[in-house]
Amino acid sequence: MSPALAATTEILLYPTSAAGSWSRLLLNAVQALAILGGLAAVAWLLFVFFGSRSPQHGQTWRRTMRLRMVLGLFAFPAMQLWMPLSMALLTLSRLHAVWGALLALVPLVALCVMAHDFVWLARFWRAVDPTRCSACEHPLLDRQTVCPECGAPRAMASGGVQSRVHARFVIALLCVMGGGFGLMALGAAPLRWSANLLVELEDDDGQGIATIAASGTVLTSVLGLDSGEVYGTHGIVREVHDAAAAPVDTTGARVFFVPILPPEGRVADETWFAALPTALASFPPQTAVASESWARTVRLRCAGREADFAPTIAKVETLVDFLRPPAWAVIAAMMSGPLTALVVFGAWRLTMLRIGRAANRPTIGAPG
């Protein structure tokens, strides 16, 4: 066989976001939410420029202010969250379900808090005019805490509750945005991911020779999906261990996998490979030779040495199923939302304190 015919084609595959799956459904929902947010923003602008602006209009002014608040409260988050949520869903769609659920926990809880507070504000929010009764518009004196006309309590208390709910809504929004951008960074950064590998070996006629299931470590980004050398210290698949092979069977019979690479932490030395012919004795000869060749070649390449697959292997197709990133990356992604809220509110509080101190600073030469 000529060297050209003996060359092995190596293909690296990644899981897709699978149109029609839960990820595609959620992506469509996020896009629809962004479109509705844009429409709400247009309606909000119309109310700002053409709505009732004076408290003297009474109930009409209150209804206008309430509707404007609801539109603004919906429009801004819906448009701002489109990018981080879309990229976060693309990242999560490529991970194992358990780790995806863990990484999505904080943004999901924050979204639930946002939804609860939005519904509360849409139902109970009132435009507070401290000089008038919120129920009947009767003028109130400074010392009156109950409306003498209808008996309703003064609106200051409800205004305090509204402020707290507004603040909680903003904190939850910052958590969702920070968590979304954290997941986007997790998917875009080249990290060492623990992964499962499913390898298919084929001959020159395109017929399957062996199926290999293994665990390993890959260095790539789940969003960028780097291409290039597959196995090796400069490739995408950096470590392979706990591999087992089985012949390709088209009759529907039960297939048994035989270990061809040891578990993580154990070195595949010559003693290990010397025992492989006996372990693979039940396989067809072509499958046994190809499985051992794959194991030896991958082991040498991951150790930084050059090696080629056996000439009988015309194609090596490796599917990478991402499991989890490093532990520090998981912690950083989960903490990105709360840290964003903490930093923004800390900066806001510091700015307000400085403004207050500047306003209360005595002027030189002022009386008293």
Side-chain angles (χ1 to χ4, degrees):
M1 183 178 294
S2 67
L5 295 177
T8 301
T9 301
E10 299 180 47
I11 299 177
L12 192 64
L13 302 176
Y14 299 98
T16 63
S17 54
S21 68
W22 63 269
S23 58
R24 178 56 56 185
L25 180 64
L26 291 177
L27 282 172
N28 291 336
V30 170
Q31 293 174 356
L33 191 66
I35 294 174
L36 293 176
L39 296 176
V42 173
W44 179 83
L45 291 173
L46 293 176
F47 273 100
V48 168
F49 289 105
F50 302 106
S52 177
R53 304 180 183 181
S54 174
Q56 301 300 324
H57 290 87
Q59 292 296 333
T60 302
W61 173 77
R62 291 183 184 278
R63 285 194 294 268
T64 300
M65 293 296 291
R66 182 181 180 185
L67 185 56
R68 191 173 75 179
M69 184 280 306
V70 171
L71 289 173
L73 206 62
F74 177 79
F76 180 78
M79 292 188 298
Q80 293 297 318
L81 292 178
W82 174 76
M83 173 63 75
L85 287 185
S86 297
M87 301 307 292
L89 286 172
L90 287 176
T91 300
L92 295 174
S93 67
R94 298 186 184 277
L95 307 185
H96 191 275
V98 174
W99 287 97
L102 178 63
L103 289 167
L105 181 61
V106 174
L108 185 59
V109 171
L111 274 175
C112 292
V113 173
M114 281 183 60
H116 171 271
D117 291 345
F118 177 80
V119 172
W120 189 96
L121 291 168
R123 292 183 58 189
F124 302 112
W125 188 90
R126 297 292 183 271
V128 178
D129 182 2
T131 65
R132 293 179 176 272
C133 174
S134 61
C136 67
E137 298 292 325
H138 185 77
L140 300 175
L141 301 176
D142 291 341
R143 66 177 181 273
Q144 291 177 321
T145 58
V146 177
C147 177
E149 185 72 19
C150 66
R154 200 175 187 120
M156 296 301 291
S158 61
V161 173
Q162 288 176 183
S163 298
R164 289 192 293 272
V165 176
H166 266 295
R168 190 172 61 198
F169 181 88
V170 173
I171 291 174
L173 173 61
L174 291 172
C175 283
V176 175
M177 291 185 65
F181 281 114
L183 288 174
M184 184 174 69
L186 179 71
L191 299 173
R192 295 179 69 91
W193 291 80
S194 296
N196 288 330
L197 308 177
L198 183 63
V199 185
E200 296 291 342
L201 306 182
E202 297 181 3
D203 59 16
D204 293 324
D205 298 326
Q207 300 297 317
I209 303 174
T211 298
I212 300 171
S215 300
T217 301
V218 299
L219 179 62
T220 186
S221 61
V222 298
L223 292 180
L225 298 180
D226 304 331
S227 59
E229 183 182 348
V230 179
Y231 300 99
T233 55
H234 299 289
I236 296 173
V237 181
R238 299 297 178 92
E239 299 176 9
V240 180
H241 48 81
D242 202 17
V248 176
D249 190 280
T250 59
T251 63
R254 188 175 181 181
V255 176
F256 293 93
F257 281 82
V258 174
I260 57 175
L261 281 178
E264 186 177 9
R266 181 178 173 183
V267 179
D269 52 16
E270 286 304 319
T271 303
W272 170 271
F273 286 111
L276 280 187
T278 302
L280 301 174
S282 61
F283 286 7
Q286 188 180 24
T287 300
V289 171
S291 298
E292 182 177 352
S293 171
W294 179 90
R296 286 181 176 273
T297 301
V298 167
R299 195 259 300 186
L300 290 174
R301 287 189 183 181
C302 290
R305 299 165 62 183
E306 293 186 3
D308 293 322
F309 296 103
T312 55
I313 303 176
K315 182 179 179 181
V316 178
E317 189 175 87
T318 304
L319 174 65
V320 177
D321 184 16
F322 296 102
L323 290 179
R324 63 185 182 277
W328 65 265
V330 174
I331 296 173
M334 294 185 67
M335 293 300 297
S336 58
L339 285 176
T340 300
L342 183 63
V343 169
V344 172
F345 262 83
W348 179 81
R349 286 289 299 268
L350 184 61
T351 302
M352 291 298 103
L353 286 175
R354 289 184 175 178
I355 293 175
R357 289 171 183 171
N360 295 326
R361 186 180 302 149
T363 304
I364 298 176

